[in-house]
Amino acid sequence: MKLIAPTDSMFLLGESREHPMHVGALQLFRPPENADENFVTEAYEAMLRCTDVQPMFRKHPAFFSAVTNLAWAFDKNVELDYHFRRSALPRPGRVRELLELASRLHGSLLDRHRPLWEAHLVEGLNDGRYAVYVKFHHSLQDGVSAQKLMQRALTSDPDDDEIRVPWALKPRQRSSSSSRRSSPLQLLTQAVGSAAALAPSTLSLARAGLLEQQLTLPFRAPKTMFNVRIGGARRIAAQSWSLERIKAVKNAAQVTVNDVVLAMSAGALRAYLMDQHALPDRPLIAMVPVSLRKEGDTEGGGNMVGTVLCNLNTHAADPADRLHGISQSMRDNKQVFTQLPRVQQLALSVFLTGGLVFGLIPGFVATAPPPFNIVISNVPGAADPLYWRGAQLVGNYPLSIALDGQAMNVTVTNNADNLDFGLVGCRRSVPHLQRMLGHLETSLKELERAVGV
């Protein structure tokens, strides 16, 4: 057994039927031109033969009578045909049917008596493509490490015929300098150095947040239709956009790709809320995750994510004003965040997001202002096209978590020449989630016109 880290146990303690705490992805593959009708069947059977299951894919919370969530238990034998399943879509096999299936899968809890992951190979799309839906409990790993692990099962070589599956991939060897254990004296020195850095950084944090108002603080967001108690059923929407279009806006406006993603989302949210006659006068605030992992440390499992808050400027009707306001907000907040030691980055992140815990208190979500309105996350993906035994990954849609007070989540990743958006919403609280896709396209077009591209 192995003790569960406090940050990881939070995702176990906070889980309920209404709040499944897993992250996932819906991947679309186009089979190679020479593939026959048995390609998907052979792929499924070949992957089931990969039985060297790595420790992260064998662990689940240990049960000590009524006590749990303290330590990991590791199963010696894993029933792969339970965790990796094969499904087929009903006719006519449109993307609509695929998203409906993925919505049901994403809304169901993982069995805590078994390793906390599932994968589903889905065939029956009417255009010949097939899909893979996968989910990991957030206590196992965060979205960045999950994304990197799934990428390792793929290859940039379309002629590579090797069979790779995430659950059988051994961790990469770290360099000798990064893997060398610190001595007790070194650990003490590092701890003293971190403590010494806290005093001045605390003063600068207080000055930036309270006096200079450079830091966006929680509980200043307006109440919206997203900030309500939610049910357990989910609805998913997904679509790809050309990275070239988004970079053209970025270059013309001299902002970052993530600024454009946030501005696209802000414009879409503004239009969606206006359709619902629910746009508040004050701007929406987004929580934006920031990875704290060092280079080469993306596959260690667990969670290492910080957060900043961003003013989405949804009150501004002009797309260019909205984009520049978002860019300024992100610059201000990141400037404060990046100057802090890691221990204070984590502490600040807990402060910014800690209001979500109050959602467990009966009546809090209905009466208190939300700490923020929505989570918008940009997870690094692959720069080159990826393949599995010649089948090209043509869509890679990340899917995250909805919570009480956070009924919609937007997560984005780059996939070769595209940016793939994955939207998750509470089925009861967010009607017609798929309309957000049309609003995202309209928002991007408005940004293109506004900056002259």
Side-chain angles (χ1 to χ4, degrees):
M1 291 189 182
K2 180 180 178 182
L3 291 178
I4 300 175
T7 52
D8 300 338
S9 66
M10 289 172 54
F11 293 100
L12 294 165
L13 293 168
E15 186 169 60
S16 67
R17 176 63 196 93
E18 291 75 26
H19 311 107
M21 290 290 183
H22 50 254
V23 292
L26 180 63
Q27 298 180 317
L28 272 175
F29 290 88
R30 181 185 296 115
E33 292 183 1
N34 59 352
D36 60 23
E37 60 182 9
N38 295 318
F39 180 85
V40 176
T41 300
E42 292 171 355
Y44 176 73
E45 293 173 348
M47 287 188 274
L48 276 183
R49 291 193 291 269
C50 298
T51 57
D52 184 17
V53 181
Q54 296 301 297
M56 187 179 69
F57 290 85
R58 294 191 286 109
K59 68 182 184 181
H60 59 83
F63 287 82
F64 307 98
S65 186
V67 180
T68 185
N69 303 325
L70 297 178
W72 292 115
F74 292 81
D75 286 357
K76 292 182 178 179
N77 299 308
V78 177
E79 289 185 84
L80 279 180
D81 57 355
Y82 172 85
H83 290 274
F84 181 43
R85 309 172 193 177
R86 183 181 174 194
S87 304
L89 297 175
R91 292 179 179 176
R94 298 165 298 183
V95 171
R96 178 184 298 180
E97 279 76 42
L98 175 62
L99 292 175
E100 189 62 35
L101 172 61
S103 298
R104 290 196 298 271
L105 294 173
H106 202 64
S108 61
L109 292 169
L110 289 160
D111 184 353
R112 293 202 182 188
H113 295 272
R114 296 175 180 268
L116 296 177
W117 63 278
E118 284 181 12
H120 299 257
L121 183 65
V122 183
E123 56 187 317
L125 279 164
N126 55 17
D127 59 7
R129 295 180 297 177
Y130 69 94
V132 175
Y133 167 81
V134 61
K135 63 182 177 183
F136 305 89
H137 201 280
H138 212 313
S139 61
L140 292 186
Q141 54 184 349
D142 57 41
V144 173
S145 54
Q147 177 84 293
K148 292 294 184 183
L149 181 63
M150 289 189 290
Q151 286 178 24
R152 281 187 57 207
L154 307 174
T155 176
S156 58
D157 181 3
D159 297 321
D160 186 343
D161 202 39
E162 183 178 348
I163 297 169
R164 302 180 189 87
V165 291
W167 60 82
L169 293 174
K170 291 180 170 59
R172 284 174 170 162
Q173 294 295 323
R174 298 186 185 180
S175 64
S176 58
S177 60
S178 62
S179 61
R180 190 181 300 122
R181 296 179 63 88
S182 300
S183 67
L185 179 60
Q186 289 173 320
L187 291 173
L188 178 61
T189 303
Q190 292 167 3
V192 172
S194 297
L198 292 183
S201 62
T202 299
L203 291 175
S204 67
L205 180 63
R207 182 171 62 251
L210 301 177
L211 300 180
E212 300 173 6
Q213 297 185 353
Q214 186 177 356
L215 190 68
T216 303
L217 299 175
F219 295 106
R220 296 185 177 182
K223 191 81 170 180
T224 74
M225 61 180 290
F226 305 133
N227 310 121
V228 295
R229 294 190 68 85
I230 64 172
R234 297 290 176 264
R235 181 176 279 113
I236 284 170
Q239 192 164 311
S240 301
W241 275 268
S242 165
L243 189 55
E244 183 179 1
R245 292 178 64 190
I246 290 162
K247 284 184 175 179
V249 175
K250 166 219 168 209
N251 293 333
Q254 297 184 330
V255 296
T256 69
V257 167
N258 197 48
D259 291 339
V260 181
V261 168
L262 290 169
M264 275 183 68
S265 302
L269 289 165
R270 174 182 165 87
Y272 178 88
L273 289 171
M274 288 178 69
D275 284 350
Q276 302 294 321
H277 306 288
L279 179 67
D281 294 332
R282 289 186 292 138
L284 271 63
I285 303 298
M287 188 269 270
V288 183
V290 178
S291 177
L292 301 181
R293 292 186 181 275
K294 296 180 180 179
E295 188 68 26
D297 188 29
T298 57
E299 298 168 13
N303 293 271
M304 188 59 66
V305 178
T307 58
V308 297
L309 300 185
C310 177
N311 184 330
L312 292 180
N313 286 265
T314 48
H315 65 300
D318 183 81
D321 290 344
R322 199 180 309 129
L323 173 59
H324 288 295
I326 287 169
S327 180
Q328 185 65 51
S329 179
M330 286 299 294
R331 280 199 307 272
D332 288 346
N333 283 279
K334 279 192 171 182
Q335 183 178 359
V336 176
F337 190 83
T338 55
Q339 291 176 355
L340 298 174
R342 179 179 287 193
V343 64
Q344 276 209 324
Q345 288 178 336
L346 288 169
L348 175 59
S349 300
V350 170
F351 169 70
L352 295 176
T353 61
L356 294 178
V357 177
F358 296 134
L360 301 175
I361 302 173
F364 183 86
V365 171
T367 57
F372 44 86
N373 299 111
I374 190 169
V375 178
I376 304 176
S377 181
N378 191 345
V379 179
D384 300 314
L386 295 178
Y387 302 84
W388 192 87
R389 301 190 76 189
Q392 184 178 355
L393 178 68
V394 293
N396 185 23
Y397 306 104
L399 305 171
S400 194
I401 299 171
L403 296 168
D404 272 342
Q406 301 292 317
M408 185 195 295
N409 178 285
V410 179
T411 308
V412 183
T413 191
N414 56 298
N415 175 31
D417 295 329
N418 290 329
L419 270 184
D420 294 348
F421 281 66
L423 281 62
V424 175
C426 168
R427 200 176 190 96
R428 182 182 66 193
S429 307
V430 185
H432 310 295
L433 177 64
Q434 69 278 6
R435 292 183 183 175
M436 275 288 294
L437 302 178
H439 292 315
L440 282 165
E441 172 62 21
T442 300
S443 180
L444 179 55
K445 287 179 177 177
E446 290 175 345
L447 287 168
E448 290 171 330
R449 288 194 295 268
V451 300
V453 298

